[in-house]
Amino acid sequence: TMEGMVDHEIFELTNGIRVVYKSINNSKIVHCGFVMDIGSRDETPEQWGIAHFWEHMAFKGTVKRKAFHIINRLESVGGELNAYTTKEKICFYASALTQHFEKSVELLTDITFFSTFPEKQIENEKSVILEEMGLYLDSPEDAIQDDFEDIIFKGHSLGRNIIGSKESVESFRKNDFRKFIDENLDNKRLVFSV
């Protein structure tokens, strides 16, 4: 074992966000992202599926960018922007050539903190998520895992699947996202990994 040999740095910014940094000198690529200690386990029954929906909506518009500009910002320089949601975390991340690190950080900051949740985009995205839900429900190995967790965590948000229900997803409006974010997003629950 390499006990005692730390190959990364962890430091806290003045705003409370922790940064985990590891330098890999023989690579010209940077991987970075915001990992939030927020997931579907933080949802109330009425919010079922909103963490996953937020992940989708982060790409649909910010104070200074429309969806096209968000997607194109790193793609135009050969980079990649992506995200995922679990029961315990939401992650917005990017991979790009090291010379585009600042561009990546700025874009990730924009979608994490300055999403606008345009109503039209929410409506469009509902059909995307309902389609995803259909595919998901057609997958027996996923469905049985959900049923199992529902039994283990009976009545708890950890027992519910991440995607939500048709009813909950169809009910979401702009203010529901704002409320969920205001209740959960806190710099102390945020790590920037690079």
Side-chain angles (χ1 to χ4, degrees):
T1 66
M2 289 173 51
E3 214 171 318
M5 290 188 66
V6 178
D7 66 346
H8 62 278
E9 292 176 54
I10 300 175
F11 53 93
E12 194 171 306
L13 302 175
T14 53
N15 60 13
I17 295 174
R18 282 164 293 161
V19 176
V20 178
Y21 169 75
K22 178 175 179 173
S23 177
I24 300 168
N25 298 323
N26 58 358
S27 175
K28 293 191 183 335
I29 296 173
V30 63
H31 303 286
C32 56
F34 282 107
V35 184
M36 295 173 267
D37 179 24
I38 306 167
S40 62
R41 56 120 200 261
D42 297 296
E43 299 165 347
T44 63
E46 306 76 57
Q47 293 172 327
W48 183 20
I50 203 163
H52 171 257
F53 205 142
W54 170 19
E55 173 215 315
H56 278 237
M57 287 305 299
F59 296 82
K60 301 302 175 188
T62 65
V63 174
K64 62 176 166 183
R65 290 185 175 93
K66 292 196 178 329
F68 169 78
H69 299 113
I70 291 169
I71 296 306
N72 201 40
R73 181 91 171 125
L74 288 180
E75 263 186 19
S76 64
V77 292
E80 185 193 8
L81 176 68
N82 214 330
Y84 65 88
T85 305
T86 71
K87 292 189 179 188
E88 300 190 4
K89 64 181 171 284
I90 298 170
C91 181
F92 298 123
Y93 63 97
S95 297
L97 290 169
T98 51
Q99 69 240 44
H100 302 301
F101 173 63
E102 286 83 0
K103 193 179 269 196
S104 303
V105 176
E106 191 277 328
L107 181 62
L108 287 165
T109 301
D110 198 28
I111 67 170
T112 303
F113 299 102
F114 300 103
S115 287
T116 51
F117 304 99
E119 290 287 3
K120 188 170 177 272
Q121 293 278 18
I122 293 172
E123 290 313 306
N124 293 347
E125 209 57 26
K126 284 178 183 181
S127 55
V128 173
I129 290 174
L130 293 176
E131 200 174 300
E132 204 177 307
M133 197 179 289
L135 292 169
Y136 177 74
L137 294 172
D138 287 343
S139 166
E141 63 274 18
D142 290 340
I144 199 160
Q145 181 67 34
D146 274 345
D147 292 345
F148 178 65
E149 288 177 4
D150 195 29
I151 291 165
I152 291 177
F153 299 110
K154 198 87 194 139
H156 190 281
S157 57
L158 279 171
R160 295 193 300 261
N161 70 39
I162 291 159
I163 209 160
S165 68
K166 187 177 188 298
E167 297 70 35
S168 66
V169 167
E170 285 178 340
S171 78
F172 296 140
R173 300 282 176 271
K174 184 177 193 155
N175 286 347
D176 298 307
F177 293 97
R178 291 259 168 262
K179 184 175 186 294
F180 182 73
I181 290 168
D182 289 346
E183 288 168 353
N184 294 286
L185 186 58
D186 177 341
N187 288 353
K188 296 275 182 212
R189 297 178 70 179
L190 206 58
V191 169
F192 185 73
S193 171
V194 56

